[in-house]
Amino acid sequence: MTNDDIRNQFPILGTEVYGKPLVYLDNAATTQKPAAVIEALSRYYLTLNSNIHRGAHHLATEATEAYEQVRRKVQQYVNARSPKEIVFTRGTTESINLVASTFAERYLSEGDEVIISGMEHHSNIVPWQLACHKKNVKIRVIPFSDSGELDLDAYRSLFNERTRLVAVCHVSNTLGTVNPIALMAREAHAHGAMIMVDGAQAVAHTAVDVQQLGCDFYCFSGHKMYAPMGVGVMYGREEVLDELPPYQGGGEMIKTVTFDHTTYNELPFKFEAGTPSVGDVLGLGAALDFIQSTGLDRIATIESQLLAYATEQLRTIDGVQIYGTATNKTGVLSFNVGSAHPYDVGTLLDKLGVAIRTGHHCTQPVMDRYGIPGTVRASFAAYNTMAEIDTFIAALRRIAPMLA
Ligand code: PLP
């Protein structure tokens, strides 16, 4: 496996920490950015900066065209039917809040039910709690097995005539499990419910085709797919988005305003109130170019090789317990070393140059499910190498006896 050509595109990977080469294995939190993305950002501010959509001047027209071109790129990337179905947000969290709030207003009433899963990130739990609480709507939770797979029989049994929506992650950020979204979507639709997918941990690792998945909404963040922070996407089926009320009010999302009455803009602008983060959107466009020129297949192959090797090596260390062993997994490896606190493991790894994440990973219910306070999580991207896994494992071997 050689990926020097990928690695060389990421300037930050040459960094040293505590005099050691950085081994960055915190990609589920955020990926590093290739030079092309950083350049797209600075090019925007150096040559194109202006507010979009409203301007009659050259820069505004050019910036608007560049921004709308990224929308079309995103549309193609997830195979949406129309660019009208692609709404730019600040990230997955804002996308899910948008869906929860507007869906609740339009479609939920007292006594209705929403299904989520037990492995959701807090950002796919709390927005539903906020929205459902206001309407007296019940949230039901799909349990998962010890290996981290959703119990699909339990899922089927949760539906009833009051089920309105399923909100589930495509890939779990803590367990790495890839959930069977197409099957879950068919089940939801057969019961007259819609489905919203949290794709934060999927879009950079596996091909996403929203039509093939059959989802009504699909939410993700740019910064977990090599793009800058500050931009995300909410995909929604046009027929559904047309039915939803606006999320935020302000400039851009209106057609006409008087003190008596306001009419709203067409899709997708109805959901993009105020000045968007234009530079970050252009950075997202460059990130999509990076992914496409590298090849998602190649990225997925590299990451699955890294996962297989790291898992095998980790199992040779005494006292290591891995959480999340689903058959269909992406490059996320959660574990604990004996009874050592994850934070202690993380701090010691850091001193050896290895960046991983520790804690509940914004999935406290997952920790409760296993009866643990947290895990250590290593997560991989296309630029990681087998040699980095060796460094990570050697570092763990060195610190494990200190923590025993
Ligand atoms: N959903 C999942 C599965 C995640 O992993 C994350 C971030 O870690 C989020 C949602 C929230 O993403 P953001 O903080 O970019 O809005």
Side-chain angles (χ1 to χ4, degrees), residues 315-336:
R315 287 207 165 110
T316 65
I317 300 176
D318 277 351
V320 163
Q321 163 90 44
I322 296 176
Y323 298 92
T325 52
T327 332
N328 197 1
K329 254 192 94 166
T330 60
V332 171
L333 194 46
S334 265
F335 63 95
N336 276 324

Side-chain angles (χ1 to χ4, degrees), residues 71-354:
R71 198 189 304 277
R72 294 191 290 275
K73 264 186 203 171
V74 174
Q75 176 208 344
Q76 283 160 14
Y77 189 72
V78 299
N79 194 29
R81 276 181 207 86
S82 155
K84 290 181 182 172
E85 301 183 313
I86 304 299
V87 174
F88 288 122
T89 63
R90 283 193 299 124
T92 312
T93 303
E94 189 174 62
S95 298
I96 297 175
N97 275 280
L98 188 167
V99 177
S101 160
T102 58
F103 186 91
E105 194 176 328
R106 172 67 182 79
Y107 291 112
L108 296 182
S109 45
E110 180 160 358
D112 283 344
E113 298 190 359
V114 164
I115 297 177
I116 65 173
S117 96
M119 61 173 76
E120 297 311 311
H121 188 280
H122 296 163
S123 63
N124 200 23
I125 301 175
V126 186
W128 294 107
Q129 288 174 333
L130 292 169
C132 291
H133 183 71
K134 280 191 199 141
K135 295 260 180 164
N136 242 333
V137 167
K138 186 170 174 185
I139 295 176
R140 311 194 69 183
V141 181
I142 316 163
F144 62 88
S145 67
D146 287 347
S147 63
E149 282 160 317
L150 290 180
D151 179 339
L152 295 176
D153 288 332
Y155 172 56
R156 288 181 194 101
S157 73
L158 291 177
F159 285 94
N160 61 40
E161 69 287 353
R162 300 305 303 264
T163 312
R164 298 285 174 256
L165 181 108
V166 175
V168 67
C169 59
H170 194 169
V171 171
S172 155
N173 65 306
T174 299
L175 305 169
T177 314
V178 182
N179 288 319
I181 296 300
L183 186 152
M184 295 178 79
R186 282 197 296 276
E187 197 71 37
H189 292 148
H191 288 89
M194 291 197 220
I195 182 163
M196 191 224 77
V197 180
D198 170 357
Q201 296 293 342
V203 273
H205 310 284
T206 174
V208 170
D209 180 329
V210 290
Q211 295 187 59
Q212 225 165 53
L213 290 173
C215 51
D216 300 286
F217 305 98
Y218 196 96
C219 304
F220 55 98
S221 301
H223 71 95
K224 293 181 196 288
M225 56 187 310
Y226 308 104
M229 291 181 176
V231 58
V233 171
M234 190 278 292
Y235 154 82
R237 262 196 315 118
E238 187 175 346
E239 307 83 274
V240 185
L241 292 187
D242 264 334
E243 292 273 308
L244 296 179
Y247 177 49
Q248 291 178 326
E252 198 61 31
M253 51 75 72
I254 54 88
K255 211 172 244 163
T256 60
V257 178
T258 68
F259 287 115
D260 295 326
H261 185 63
T262 292
T263 58
Y264 304 123
N265 207 340
E266 60 197 34
L267 292 176
F269 311 111
K270 180 172 90 175
F271 294 108
E272 289 183 5
T275 301
S277 197
V278 182
D280 296 324
V281 168
L282 302 197
L284 174 61
L288 292 177
D289 292 344
F290 162 76
I291 293 175
Q292 273 163 342
S293 65
T294 307
L296 252 183
D297 284 350
R298 183 173 172 214
I299 292 174
T301 305
I302 292 171
E303 290 173 359
S304 77
Q305 286 172 357
L306 291 166
L307 176 69
Y309 182 58
T311 306
E312 174 200 305
Q313 291 298 307
L314 202 54
R315 287 207 165 110
T316 65
I317 300 176
D318 277 351
V320 163
Q321 163 90 44
I322 296 176
Y323 298 92
T325 52
T327 332
N328 197 1
K329 254 192 94 166
T330 60
V332 171
L333 194 46
S334 265
F335 63 95
N336 276 324
V337 186
S339 56
H341 197 282
Y343 183 76
D344 294 338
V345 180
T347 311
L348 289 171
L349 282 175
D350 175 52
K351 295 290 179 290
L352 297 170
V354 181

